[in-house]
Amino acid sequence: MTESLAGKFRNIGRNLGDGLGPLLPSYLPVAWKLGLSISLLITLAMTVLGTVLINSQMEHMRAQADGYGRAIADQLADTAREPMLAEDQFSLKVLINNLVGNHTLRGAALFSPEGKILDSAGAIPSEVKPSQVNAPRRWQADEAAMTTYYTPVTVRDMTAGHAAVTLSARAIEQAQQSVRDAIITATLVMIAIAIIAAFMAGRRLSRPINHLLKAADAIGSGDLHYRIPQRRNDEIGLLIDSYNKMASGLLEKNQVERVLSRFVSPSVARKMMADLEQVKLGGRDVEATVLFADIVGFTQLSETMEPDEVAELLNAYFDAITLAATFYRGTIDKYMGDCAMVVFGVPESDPEHQYHGLCCAVMIQRLVNQLNEQRRKRGLPTVAFRIGLNAGHMLAGNLGSRDRMQYTVVGDAVNLASRLSNLAESGQIILPETILQDPNVVSRVRYSRAGQMEVRGKREPVATYEIEGVHPQSEALMEQRVRELVDQLMEQSSGQRP
């Protein structure tokens, strides 16, 4: 029976939680937590203080009422002493009747030493014998609270009788109620003021935390310029200063990384900035693809142009090469005068580096052709590229000296790609036969035999092929991307020209 009842209560609680869950906030703000905590403490303290004050005032007023009742009883005993000794009943009756006429005094009586009533008026508890009473008697008469006070009538250390007076408790109860209401009202007002002040203080105390939360959101969204302007001479102020210093450091690191990524590949820049201690001389053996794109007849062309025109021309075509390399996961290793060197498969691993290198070479030629058409329409000089490409084992890493190093790739495979680019003709993409021996590559490209080429540094002639295109699906995606990139490059060129 008990388990069944407990199960019902659990189900009710679960249903209530499920119903109220969507209505409750996902988290409780710190300002509310501080306000609620301080409010609860203040409410508890004020409640305890109000209870103590009420009890203290009630006891004090009760003591005053008892003192007043005993004083009247003592006064009655003193006044009635001589008439009681003289057995003057008439004087006693007049005395008692005159005393009862007071609106607060509801009754009075005189008793003999044996407890027999000599005379009385008003309300007197008849079942109580004065000789047995040492404390006030509190009782009810007609649903009204009464208190009777007794005092002996003494003559030379002898008890000649007892005097009793009865006071109505209504006046004291009304006074107590007034005091109780005043204290409760004052307590509630103070609690309300304290709660308002607590929430205001909580909101003020949580304001720097809200600033820190906004700052964290700003960093999460990439805004490293956000700073917290507030200054405080406490622990939160130290935390704010630490955040501002951290944000400044992150901004400086981001700026250095952005600048560095213009000289090395973005992936290399990120790795260098992520662990500066690892930036040291050394390399590792990798399987990668390297591409050299060289401008045909650049020396003769540059002699007829101004230096700023040469810079504009190189920047325009190198931008195109950069976009093509990025699209096919390539990394710009370096620009060497009028030649660009692109690697695939390092520093980021790419199992399709050979095919991506071929696609990038085709895309570069397509971009150059489209870019040339647009530049001719604007009366700008144009160029043609020849591309050599090779894949194989090579050394990749930081090469140079301890004071000046560069992340690059070196090896016989790299040298062969450079030699092939020098042997290629305008618009050609030349590669060795070894790349086409890969079934995953040869089935996705269109090629023709370029013949045996004598390559400096090689004892035997190298069998070479010219790449004419790639897989139709890759071609379709490439053509769409080429049109978008040419429009983008021409807009950039127009914006840079004065």
Side-chain angles (χ1 to χ4, degrees):
M1 180 66 179
T2 304
E3 294 181 356
S4 177
L5 186 60
K8 290 181 179 180
F9 279 116
R10 283 196 297 270
N11 291 333
I12 293 174
R14 190 180 299 110
N15 294 333
L16 184 61
D18 294 340
L20 294 178
L23 302 177
L24 297 176
S26 58
Y27 73 99
L28 191 63
V30 175
W32 282 85
K33 290 181 180 179
L34 290 173
L36 289 174
S37 300
I38 298 174
S39 298
L40 288 175
L41 290 175
I42 292 177
T43 300
L44 180 62
M46 292 299 298
T47 301
V48 172
L49 178 60
T51 303
V52 171
L53 288 175
I54 289 174
N55 292 334
S56 175
Q57 288 297 316
M58 297 303 102
E59 291 296 330
H60 181 67
M61 295 181 70
R62 176 64 64 185
Q64 286 184 333
D66 290 343
Y68 176 69
R70 290 191 183 94
I72 295 178
D74 291 341
Q75 184 180 7
L76 176 60
D78 291 339
T79 305
R81 182 180 297 110
E82 293 183 2
M84 288 181 67
L85 292 176
E87 298 182 355
D88 186 353
Q89 296 293 330
F90 178 77
S91 297
L92 294 175
K93 182 177 290 295
V94 172
L95 178 62
I96 289 177
N97 289 335
N98 289 337
L99 192 63
V100 174
N102 191 317
H103 68 281
T104 303
L105 193 64
R106 300 297 299 276
L110 292 171
F111 300 87
S112 66
E114 296 79 14
K116 180 180 179 181
I117 296 178
L118 300 177
D119 204 346
S120 65
I124 290 294
S126 58
E127 72 277 7
V128 179
K129 295 182 179 180
S131 59
Q132 299 176 350
V133 176
N134 297 321
R137 168 64 185 246
R138 308 189 192 284
W139 52 288
Q140 294 289 124
D142 298 331
E143 298 182 357
M146 301 291 180
T147 303
T148 301
Y149 301 91
Y150 299 92
T151 188
V153 180
T154 58
V155 178
R156 294 181 181 180
D157 299 332
M158 294 180 60
T159 301
H162 292 83
V165 294
T166 299
L167 298 180
S168 173
R170 180 173 298 174
I172 186 64
E173 288 179 350
Q174 291 177 348
Q176 289 177 338
Q177 185 63 40
S178 298
V179 172
R180 185 182 296 108
D181 293 343
I183 293 177
I184 291 175
T185 301
T187 301
L188 293 177
V189 171
M190 291 300 296
I191 289 175
I193 295 174
I195 289 175
I196 295 174
F199 275 94
M200 293 178 64
R203 184 177 180 182
R204 180 175 179 82
L205 290 174
S206 66
R207 190 175 301 164
I209 299 178
N210 293 332
H211 289 322
L212 288 171
L213 183 60
K214 292 181 180 178
D217 291 338
I219 286 184
S221 61
D223 182 10
L224 300 179
H225 295 276
Y226 184 86
R227 297 292 182 272
I228 303 176
Q230 188 174 3
R231 293 291 182 268
R232 299 169 60 96
N233 189 22
D234 54 15
E235 291 83 355
I236 296 179
L238 295 176
L239 183 60
I240 291 175
D241 291 338
S242 298
Y243 164 79
N244 288 335
K245 292 178 181 178
M246 179 193 70
S248 298
L250 290 175
L251 178 60
E252 182 178 353
K253 179 181 178 182
N254 180 261
Q255 291 173 340
V256 172
E257 182 177 331
R258 290 173 60 185
V259 173
L260 186 61
S261 64
R262 296 185 178 184
F263 294 91
V264 298
S265 69
S267 58
V268 173
R270 285 193 297 270
K271 288 184 177 181
M272 293 173 62
M273 295 303 298
D275 192 356
L276 295 177
E277 295 182 357
Q278 296 298 322
V279 181
K280 55 186 178 181
L281 291 174
R284 59 189 177 93
D285 186 58
V286 297
E287 179 77 21
T289 298
V290 61
L291 177 155
F292 285 87
D294 185 25
I295 297 178
V296 179
F298 179 73
T299 302
Q300 293 81 1
L301 178 64
S302 61
E303 290 177 353
T304 61
M305 299 173 61
E306 295 295 332
D308 57 341
E309 294 177 341
V310 174
E312 186 275 332
L313 181 141
L314 289 176
N315 291 337
Y317 286 97
F318 283 164
D319 280 343
I321 294 176
T322 301
L323 293 174
T326 303
F327 188 69
Y328 286 105
R329 300 179 61 180
T331 299
I332 300 295
D333 186 279
K334 62 176 70 71
Y335 294 108
M336 301 170 290
D338 61 326
C339 180
M341 176 180 173
V342 187
V343 293
F344 301 84
V346 287
E348 302 294 336
S349 178
D350 180 10
E352 293 279 347
H353 60 85
Q354 294 188 51
Y355 183 66
H356 286 159
L358 290 169
C359 290
C360 180
V362 175
M363 188 175 188
I364 289 174
Q365 296 293 23
R366 303 287 172 82
L367 270 173
V368 170
N369 292 335
Q370 293 288 330
L371 192 58
N372 284 340
E373 291 182 9
Q374 297 295 328
R375 290 177 64 86
R376 288 191 192 98
K377 293 178 181 179
R378 300 187 182 186
L380 300 175
T382 61
V383 298
F385 277 83
R386 54 189 179 186
I387 297 176
L389 186 136
N390 190 23
H393 290 281
M394 55 192 72
L395 182 68
N398 296 317
L399 305 178
S401 67
R402 296 185 181 277
D403 295 329
R404 187 175 181 84
M405 63 185 71
Q406 180 182 12
Y407 187 92
T408 187
V409 292
V410 295
D412 184 63
V414 178
N415 294 335
L416 180 57
S418 177
R419 301 288 188 270
L420 293 177
S421 70
N422 293 329
L423 296 175
E425 296 181 2
S426 176
Q428 275 191 321
I429 302 172
I430 300 298
L431 52 79
E433 184 180 19
T434 53
I435 295 181
L436 296 180
Q437 291 175 353
D438 187 345
N440 188 43
V441 175
V442 70
S443 61
R444 293 190 286 174
V445 296
R446 303 194 316 272
Y447 59 92
S448 61
R449 187 175 180 85
Q452 300 287 335
M453 291 188 178
E454 296 288 340
V455 177
R456 184 164 55 90
K458 295 289 183 180
R459 294 181 180 179
E460 300 293 335
V462 177
T464 60
Y465 288 82
E466 179 182 354
I467 297 300
E468 299 172 350
V470 292
H471 193 277
Q473 291 183 352
S474 298
E475 289 267 6
L477 178 62
M478 184 187 301
E479 290 296 334
Q480 178 183 356
R481 186 59 177 163
V482 164
R483 289 192 295 270
E484 296 175 355
L485 293 180
V486 168
D487 293 340
Q488 177 182 339
L489 290 169
M490 295 308 297
E491 289 179 2
Q492 292 177 358
S493 177
S494 299
Q496 292 175 359
R497 296 186 65 190

